[in-house]
Amino acid sequence: MWRVRRIASRAVEEERGDVPGWVLITLMTAGLVIIIWALAGPALSSVFQQAIERVTGF
């Protein structure tokens, strides 16, 4: 039983990961989404509006 606990505690210690790296990746991804949304948002909105007008025009 004590061997299982020791192995489990080692696994937990090794699985902490690189928190600052994940934070950086998350922030960069959010930044890219904001930039792409700002650039493509008006065009996508226009395409959507035209599609709705075509569907409701019948």
Side-chain angles (χ1 to χ4, degrees):
M1 185 74 161
W2 60 273
R3 291 180 70 183
V4 173
R5 287 184 186 168
R6 189 174 71 200
I7 292 170
S9 67
R10 283 185 189 168
V12 169
E13 289 174 6
E14 293 174 2
E15 291 294 325
R16 288 189 180 174
D18 184 19
V19 174
W22 284 109
V23 171
L24 182 62
I25 289 171
T26 303
L27 291 175
M28 289 174 64
T29 303
L32 285 172
V33 167
I34 290 170
I35 290 170
I36 292 170
W37 193 278
L39 295 175
L44 291 173
S45 183
S46 173
V47 168
F48 178 75
Q49 199 69 2
Q50 289 174 3
I52 293 297
E53 288 173 3
R54 286 184 182 179
V55 170
T56 58
F58 288 117

